[in-house]
Amino acid sequence: MTEKRTAIVTGSARGIGAEIAQRLAADGLAVAVLDLDEGACQTVVDDITAAGGKALAVGCDVSDEESVAAAVERVATELGAPTVLVNNAGVLRDNLIFKMSVDDWDTVMNVHLRGSFLMTRAAQKYMTEARYGRIVNLSSTSAQGNRGQVNYSAAKAGLQGFTKTLAIELGKFGVTANAIAPGFIVTDMTKATADRVGIDFDEFQQLAAKDIPVQRVGRPADIANAAAFFCGEGAGFVSGQVLYVAGGPYD
Ligand code: NAP
């Protein structure tokens, strides 16, 4: 039997991150459920534990260097050296460019790009030592441009370049890096968008589904399934890829 590996999933108190954490735990990994509020992680940890898995709640702001260093060290001590990292934490600060504040720009850059950089820099130390690692970054179909998301689309496109460079730099240590670019997934994030544009969330989903080739919106499990593949032992020859999980073609 292969040894039990440790994964960190950022922003996993809810939404896509929570589903990925539960899936990786079901696949046999010990999982650090990391989010801004440690208390908010406990439900996911309890669900994992109740299902026979191993998990730890970790409070951390991924955009803060000291917070990240302390969190990753804590995971290594209490759960095991993290050799799987899913950079999932995210925020929206949507606005048209003429109304976008510098704060809204910086917040999105800090959580998605700076956060993924800080987490990866801290975790790669354990991966290169172990000569094994799996890094998955959450991009988005918005990377290809989306009205009202100049900050978010720039960050999500940036994560694709970040992923490809990680693949090149870390490959020789047995570490792969891949990105998942989801389309419309039903979470609090898409509900917040419906609220902002003033459309009922069910109606918003039905409208979105009409434009998606498979004629439905996505669920967190759709993304967790792709993440489980990239994080698996068997995916060691797949690196630097961007997988659009959007119910239709993107490239
Ligand atoms: P979500 O429901 O809003 O969850 C995001 C999580 O990230 C929240 O638990 C949030 O914590 C946490 N977070 C925010 N800032 C953080 C920080 N600085 N440090 C640590 N944790 C932080 O979002 P989601 O829909 O599951 O999205 C997950 C990822 O997929 C994001 O990267 C998102 O951009 C991407 N994505 C989502 C969709 C979609 O349709 N939902 C589509 C494409 C890509 P709080 O609750 O405390 O704020």
Side-chain angles (χ1 to χ4, degrees):
M1 205 180 95
T2 49
E3 67 184 283
K4 197 172 185 78
R5 301 199 184 273
T6 296
I8 300 177
V9 185
T10 72
S12 54
R14 57 187 166 91
I16 293 169
E19 192 80 21
I20 294 173
Q22 282 165 333
R23 173 64 190 266
L24 295 185
D27 288 352
L29 285 91
V31 181
V33 179
L34 184 151
D35 213 301
L36 275 175
D37 174 9
E38 187 166 321
C41 300
Q42 200 54 48
T43 310
V44 177
V45 169
D46 290 346
D47 287 350
I48 290 173
T49 312
K54 194 173 173 194
L56 175 73
V58 181
C60 172
D61 177 353
V62 296
S63 66
D64 182 273
E65 188 176 5
E66 282 178 21
S67 177
V68 166
V72 173
E73 203 181 309
R74 192 180 149 212
V75 172
T77 308
E78 296 184 30
L79 212 54
T83 53
V84 176
L85 171 66
V86 181
N87 286 309
N88 165 84
V91 290
L92 292 179
R93 292 291 185 274
D94 293 355
N95 227 327
L96 296 173
I97 189 162
F98 77 100
K99 288 192 280 192
M100 185 168 290
S101 69
V102 171
D103 265 1
D104 287 346
W105 176 268
D106 287 345
T107 299
V108 167
M109 291 302 149
N110 285 343
V111 176
H112 295 270
L113 278 178
R114 184 181 157 93
S116 298
F117 157 65
L118 290 173
M119 286 299 306
T120 305
R121 192 182 62 172
Q124 59 79 35
K125 171 175 166 281
Y126 297 96
M127 299 183 192
T128 53
E129 273 170 17
R131 298 260 151 187
Y132 178 91
R134 299 280 183 265
I135 299 165
V136 175
N137 300 312
L138 268 290
S139 180
S140 167
T141 51
S142 295
Q144 299 193 5
N146 197 23
R147 185 178 163 81
Q149 293 196 318
V150 75
N151 50 359
Y152 185 80
S153 62
K156 293 305 199 186
L159 280 170
Q160 297 190 8
F162 177 70
T163 301
K164 290 175 190 194
T165 299
L166 290 177
I168 292 166
E169 289 189 14
L170 299 175
K172 66 180 170 197
F173 301 103
V175 179
T176 65
N178 292 285
I180 298 171
F184 189 117
I185 308 296
V186 177
T187 68
D188 291 346
M189 187 176 270
T190 34
K191 179 168 189 319
T193 304
D195 291 346
R196 185 175 59 79
V197 296
I199 303 178
D200 171 74
F201 193 34
D202 284 337
E203 195 186 331
F204 193 59
Q205 290 177 48
Q206 282 162 22
L207 286 171
K210 282 190 184 137
D211 291 333
I212 299 171
V214 301
Q215 297 285 289
R216 70 163 174 89
V217 291
R219 294 179 283 267
D222 293 313
I223 306 307
N225 194 37
F229 167 71
F230 284 133
C231 291
E233 306 266 342
F237 205 53
V238 181
S239 197
Q241 302 304 303
V242 179
L243 180 64
Y244 283 87
V245 182
Y250 280 87
D251 56 29

